[in-house]
Amino acid sequence: MFRQLWKLCCSAKATIVLTSITTLIAVLGSTQAMHNPRLFNTMDSKPLLEWWQLYIQQISYSTVWIPLCSALIGLLWFNTLCCCIDWLCHLRTRWKKSGEYLIHLGFILVVIAYAWGSIYGMRSSNNSIAAGEIIAIPEQAGYFLRLNSFQPQMAPSGRPIDMLSNVTLLKGDHELKTATIRFNHPLTYGDLIILPGSYSQQVVGFSCLLNQQQVELKPGSTIQLSAGASLRVVDFTPDIQSRRGSAGNGALRNPAFLLELKEASHENKSLWYVVRRGAPKQLVAAGFTPQRLAPLYTTYSQLTINRDPGAPLAAAGAIAMTLGILLSLRSFYAKRSRTSGNNKLS
Amino acid sequence: MDINALLLNGCFALYCLSVTLYLAHACLRWSKLQQLAMGTVVLAFSCQTLSLGLRWFAAGYLPVTNLFSTVFFFSWALGATYLYFEWRYRLASAGLFVMLLNILLLYIALPRDPTPPALIPMLDTPLFTLHIACSFLGYALFAMAFSLAVLYLIQRKTAALPLPTRNRLQQLNEEAIFLGFCFFTLSMLFGSYWAYVAWGYYFSWDIKALWSALIWLYFAGMCHAKFIRSWQGSGYAWLSILGFALVLFTYLGIGLLMKSNHPLA
């Protein structure tokens, strides 16, 4: 009974049936992607399990093929594992098949790696960071990323073709790794991978003429006014409406500054300066009459930060498969050369 | 007419001539005709290789970044595959179907613009070259398996053509599938590694990547099917034909009928 069950688990027939059914279901299922691109196009943005949990409300009959195929791949994995164990038990007589079984081993490792990454992995895109800024790595407590410099590369047509970001990975205050990342050249550290995604420009303030002098109004800057008063820019928002509750996307709509006025004889005053309405009377009285306002832009690098704990195992699987392919080819041609007398066709 | 256009048109004309000679050999059975056909294929393949080499040298990278160049490279890989099988096994009239397929590919490619576009940094990596080269060698071997499978089924119906024996055709089909699977596995591995360094994940749910994984799975199953007696013969031939249909749909159908984010979809 056990022997029969083991034979079934190791059988090539089971492999053929499982691969055929998986292919058929996935071929039919994937055509659903045409009808529901909004759902399926998001599949690469998250690890599979997280995606499934996130979109479970939208999941209908059109996505049933995904768990079905996953279950079939699981069965195929078990079948391949049994074949490998059976081969190891008969290694003395089947060592010539080492190449083929290395491919099996590679498949076993890659499936484990993908499942591991799908459950415990993390994918985060569009992490905006300006030069000199530090951001926390998502879901990695204590890890930070600093952008040292950013340089987009443009084609003669003006289209961006590459993005060079010099970044430093930090653990607390300790620098772990510094690299210049661009397309096909990510920063990798353990199971963490940091890649260029895109870049954007945002308005961070305005430049203006004040008493015939060019000054920059952006958070942190201080302007000396007449009669010993000074003005510190506390904050800037490109859209005061979005700050007061409605949704905003960083576009310049109704820009406003939160300013702090310091006068020798008075207490510090916080005032909103909404650019479209003009400066408040108290600021005008203190000598704040800005002219020829022009927006000040800063460039943000948008980085993709992924973590896949299964990636090293997948690499091991890929190495096993490559070795398996080379050994299989060698044994195939060795076998053919043994029977070369029959090779030439009449 | 520049040298490249001359080579492109020359190889197309020579492949057409080889098909005519193979047809004449199938009807008249003069061995000299077969030798002449084979010589013509060698000459056509040399022109094609020279053209590919010149375009590679001029572009500075393997020119496989638009439909013309991928179809042309597919045709070149099919020519190389055919010559390999001919050199090892003397396929006789079996070459007719492969050369017909090759002519069809060149017929699709030739009216298109052969100028390679400027290489974008995303594709500027040896992983791309390895991925594409292995992929098309795999495709060519699956196309060879398809031709051999069709011949196997014809051989069952008629003995009019000077074809190898059915056992031999089955054996050659198995070899083409096995070699195709090896190259396609390497293509998948290089592609996965490239995806990892370019996008941060090694498996994408993009429709083309998914179908490529399915092709791999399908042909992995086929590599096992040769050990099952009931799947040998006609069953294996039909599986090879179905497999090539999957390959063709993944290569051309997805790009034309579906939306894919794959760099060369």
Side-chain angles (χ1 to χ4, degrees), chain A residues 87-337:
Chain A
W87 169 69
L88 281 171
C89 294
H90 301 91
L91 190 59
R92 196 175 287 180
T93 52
R94 295 191 201 165
W95 65 270
K96 283 183 182 171
K97 292 270 177 189
S98 303
E100 283 86 339
Y101 283 96
L102 269 174
I103 301 173
H104 285 65
L105 179 69
F107 175 73
I108 291 168
L109 294 178
V110 168
V111 171
I112 297 173
Y114 187 74
W116 192 0
S118 296
I119 297 166
Y120 299 108
M122 177 276 293
R123 289 183 192 175
S124 171
S125 53
N126 296 330
N127 293 280
S128 293
I129 178 171
E133 274 186 7
I134 295 177
I135 55 165
I137 300 279
E139 298 176 35
Q140 284 283 98
Y143 285 83
F144 301 91
L145 189 73
R146 184 178 69 217
L147 180 69
N148 303 315
S149 64
F150 175 71
Q151 185 64 53
Q153 280 190 337
M154 303 292 184
S157 61
R159 196 168 58 95
I161 51 169
D162 206 347
M163 292 158 283
L164 277 73
S165 303
N166 185 269
V167 291
T168 301
L169 183 69
L170 305 149
K171 188 177 183 184
D173 293 336
H174 179 60
E175 289 188 4
L176 296 175
K177 199 173 180 181
T178 297
T180 299
I181 59 172
R182 56 193 170 95
F183 284 141
N184 297 318
H185 295 83
L187 182 150
T188 53
Y189 185 80
D191 55 9
L192 203 65
I193 182 163
I194 299 157
L195 316 103
S198 182
Y199 77 97
S200 68
Q201 283 191 320
Q202 279 183 22
V203 180
V204 288
F206 278 81
S207 69
C208 62
L209 268 179
L210 190 67
N211 301 328
Q212 306 302 318
Q213 279 188 331
Q214 192 78 30
V215 292
E216 286 189 350
L217 290 172
K218 60 181 184 182
S221 62
T222 304
I223 302 152
Q224 291 301 322
L225 301 174
S226 55
S230 69
L231 196 65
R232 192 170 69 87
V233 181
V234 180
D235 200 3
F236 168 77
T237 174
D239 184 16
I240 189 76
Q241 253 72 36
S242 68
R243 196 183 171 93
R244 285 175 182 164
S246 57
N249 57 4
L252 195 65
R253 284 191 182 132
N254 196 0
F257 292 90
L258 178 62
L259 304 169
E260 192 179 63
L261 180 65
K262 291 179 183 178
E263 289 176 299
S265 55
H266 296 88
E267 279 186 11
N268 292 353
K269 278 181 192 164
S270 287
L271 297 155
W272 275 103
Y273 162 39
V274 181
V275 177
R276 279 186 185 172
R277 285 188 214 153
K281 283 177 188 171
Q282 285 156 300
L283 290 178
V284 175
F288 182 70
T289 50
Q291 291 171 318
R292 292 187 202 170
L293 275 79
L296 281 173
Y297 289 93
T298 193
T299 307
Y300 286 86
S301 176
Q302 290 182 319
L303 302 173
T304 299
I305 304 171
N306 291 356
R307 196 174 62 82
D308 187 348
L313 195 63
I319 291 166
M321 272 196 195
T322 310
L323 282 175
I325 290 289
L326 297 175
L327 282 176
S328 302
L329 284 170
R330 191 181 173 278
S331 64
F332 176 82
Y333 282 108
K335 196 177 168 188
R336 276 291 152 100
S337 66

Side-chain angles (χ1 to χ4, degrees), chain A residues 44 333 336 342-343 345, chain B residues 84 122 168 175 204-205 211:
Chain A
D44 284 333
Y333 282 108
R336 276 291 152 100
N342 303 325
N343 273 351
L345 297 171
Chain B
Y84 163 81
M122 182 63 90
R168 200 52 161 174
E175 180 169 344
S204 167
W205 285 92
W211 273 64

Side-chain angles (χ1 to χ4, degrees), chain A residues 12-13 15-16 18-20 22-23 26-27 30-31 33-34 40-41 43-44 48 65-66 70 73 76 97 100 103-104 107 110 113-115 117 123 153 159 161-162 182-186 188 190-193 195-196 304 306 308 310-311 314 317-318 321-322 325-326 328-329 332-333 336-337 339 342-346, chain B residues 84 86-92 119-125 127 163-165 168-169 171-172 174-176 178-179 181-183 185-186 189-190 194-207 210-211 213-222 224-231 239 246 249 257-259 261:
Chain A
K13 273 185 186 172
T15 313
I16 297 163
L18 287 169
T19 52
S20 307
T22 311
T23 309
V27 161
S30 64
T31 55
M34 276 198 302
F40 286 97
N41 287 352
M43 282 188 84
D44 284 333
L48 189 60
W65 63 276
I66 297 171
S70 304
I73 293 284
L76 191 62
K97 292 270 177 189
E100 283 86 339
I103 301 173
H104 285 65
F107 175 73
V110 168
Y114 187 74
R123 289 183 192 175
Q153 280 190 337
R159 196 168 58 95
I161 51 169
D162 206 347
R182 56 193 170 95
F183 284 141
N184 297 318
H185 295 83
T188 53
D191 55 9
L192 203 65
I193 182 163
L195 316 103
T304 299
N306 291 356
D308 187 348
M321 272 196 195
T322 310
I325 290 289
L326 297 175
S328 302
L329 284 170
F332 176 82
Y333 282 108
R336 276 291 152 100
S337 66
T339 55
N342 303 325
N343 273 351
K344 302 287 175 190
L345 297 171
S346 55
Chain B
Y84 163 81
E86 177 63 38
W87 166 67
R88 274 184 77 89
Y89 304 112
R90 301 281 178 264
L91 286 175
L119 191 67
I120 56 168
M122 182 63 90
L123 305 182
D124 190 10
T125 163
L127 290 169
L163 293 172
T165 61
R168 200 52 161 174
L169 285 170
Q171 198 186 5
L172 296 182
E174 284 173 10
E175 180 169 344
F178 170 70
L179 292 177
F181 177 73
C182 287
F183 278 111
T185 306
L186 291 175
L189 294 174
F190 289 128
W194 178 31
Y196 185 68
V197 297
W199 295 282
Y201 43 81
Y202 52 86
F203 177 77
S204 167
W205 285 92
D206 169 70
I207 193 86
L210 180 64
W211 273 64
L214 293 179
I215 287 178
W216 184 85
L217 206 59
Y218 181 85
F219 283 104
M222 273 201 75
H224 291 81
K226 68 179 176 185
F227 300 113
I228 313 291
R229 194 177 289 273
S230 56
W231 277 101
L239 283 178
L246 281 175
F249 186 76
L257 302 173
M258 295 176 171
K259 275 188 179 174
N261 295 324

